[in-house]
Amino acid sequence: MTPDPPHSDAPHSTAPHPAVPGAEATTVPRPFGRALCAMVTPFTAAGELDLAGARALAALLVAEGCDGLVLSGTTGESATTTDAEKTALVRAVCAEVGDRAAVLAGVGSADTRHTLALAREAERAGAHGLLVVAPYYSRPPQRDVEAHFLRIADASGVPLMLYDIPARTGTRIEPGTLLRLAAHPRVVAVKDCAYDLFSSSKVIARTSLAYYSGCEELNLPLYAVGGAGFVSTVANAALRPLRAVLDAYDTGARAESLRLHQAALPLVESMMGAGLPGTVTAKALLGALGRPAGPVREPLRPAGRETADGLLRAYAELTAAARAV
């Protein structure tokens, strides 16, 4: 296997794919790097916010080659953490990683005023960017979705990554809406969980938006059509193998990239397709590996021993496959 290249994709950069023999090099916007982790929020055994654990996990992920940490997203249990906890988490992680990685704060809510307040607090706490999900539950029409994002972008001093995950929000960020929002200088990226590669490809072709895969099984397909990289739950435990897929692709080793992508699928399925939320499986695997995680908060319940053992087996198989020549 081709060794990992130096960790050179700095946050807030636009990096070209390296030249591949017989192919013309392309420039892909990567405002937050390529390999981003949707980081879990560590809790103590008593269920309190574990800032020391968060700092330790963030440092470990960055040391493994993580370009960006996305806090207080779906995996970060944003639905059950308080505003004060979200702000404290951003402050602690920013203090830990400094300028070695981008730190994005999830600030999305169903209420525009609340989202604005969270965005201001995250920016004051040091966040390099904001993850803003489409307003959920009320299922606003597209003109209102667009207005919501523009309100946040106008009020922000840092760039936005829009989070398109209609299976959870009930509201798609339609391609036409994304085309219009791309004109705003602070709307720079999309975390794509819409499972619509055709629409994503069209928006990538017509804008400078950086598209990050939020669905690990689509990391390589989206990257191949001009995606910027990924924002991954699985990366909490398996950042290196997922990043290796992109590294191989960028050096022109397309067959190796495909092999590594396929090798990751069993762990992806175990974590994301086993009928349990990714937060639950990520924390189960991290705990089994002795990394900071702690319990999940109710209404989520911890994974059982059988699930944890299965995750460990899939992780071991991926680790072995990633080392194979």
Side-chain angles (χ1 to χ4, degrees):
M1 184 180 73
T2 304
D4 287 356
H7 180 195
S8 59
D9 275 5
H12 316 296
S13 68
T14 300
H17 282 304
V20 176
E24 188 173 327
T26 60
T27 300
V28 176
R30 293 172 180 161
F32 307 111
R34 295 180 305 157
L36 282 68
C37 178
M39 199 178 96
V40 303
T41 300
F43 297 133
T44 67
E48 301 300 318
L49 182 63
D50 180 6
L51 291 178
R55 292 182 69 140
L57 180 59
L60 178 61
L61 288 166
V62 172
E64 290 182 342
C66 190
D67 298 317
L69 301 166
V70 180
L71 310 178
S72 297
T74 306
T75 306
E77 298 181 78
S78 59
T80 52
T81 53
T82 68
D83 292 1
E85 286 175 326
K86 290 177 174 68
T87 300
L89 181 65
V90 171
R91 188 174 290 115
V93 171
C94 285
E96 181 64 37
V97 305
D99 62 358
R100 292 179 294 137
V103 177
L104 282 76
V107 300
S109 79
D111 176 356
T112 301
R113 289 185 300 175
H114 187 202
T115 303
L116 283 166
L118 288 171
R120 294 187 183 105
E121 285 301 311
E123 190 173 346
R124 280 194 284 265
H128 305 119
L130 304 174
L131 177 73
V132 190
V133 73
Y136 45 84
Y137 190 74
S138 56
R139 300 181 69 179
Q142 287 298 298
R143 66 179 184 181
D144 296 347
V145 172
E146 182 178 351
H148 172 84
F149 286 129
L150 289 175
R151 284 267 281 142
I152 312 308
D154 285 342
S156 175
V158 294
L160 272 60
M161 177 185 289
L162 308 185
Y163 189 5
D164 189 14
I165 183 166
R168 288 185 181 269
T169 64
T171 301
R172 176 81 189 272
I173 311 175
E174 296 290 348
T177 303
L178 287 165
L179 291 174
R180 293 188 295 274
L181 287 167
H184 197 290
R186 281 184 294 281
V187 176
V188 302
V190 176
K191 180 180 177 183
D192 184 9
C193 294
Y195 285 98
D196 185 352
L197 193 58
F198 182 42
S199 291
S200 299
S201 300
K202 291 192 295 183
V203 177
I204 289 169
R206 295 178 58 185
T207 72
S208 61
L209 288 173
Y211 257 71
Y212 290 90
S213 171
C215 309
E216 285 85 354
E217 64 272 32
L218 293 181
N219 284 0
L220 180 57
L222 187 65
Y223 201 63
V225 296
F230 57 74
V231 178
S232 169
T233 295
V234 176
N236 277 280
L239 185 282
R240 289 184 190 275
L242 295 183
R243 182 178 176 116
V245 175
L246 309 187
D247 292 341
Y249 190 93
D250 282 351
T251 60
R254 302 298 164 80
E256 175 68 356
S257 178
L258 178 59
R259 183 189 73 82
L260 292 168
H261 174 75
Q262 292 173 340
L265 293 179
L267 179 60
V268 170
E269 186 171 23
S270 295
M271 290 185 68
M272 309 304 293
L276 291 173
T279 304
V280 173
T281 55
K283 284 195 164 182
L285 181 53
L286 286 171
L289 293 171
R291 299 185 178 190
V296 291
R297 280 186 175 169
E298 292 181 327
L300 297 179
R301 303 297 299 272
R305 179 60 182 271
E306 184 178 350
T307 297
D309 288 346
L311 290 166
L312 272 175
R313 286 194 297 272
Y315 174 81
E317 289 169 3
L318 173 57
T319 301
R323 285 197 295 259
V325 177

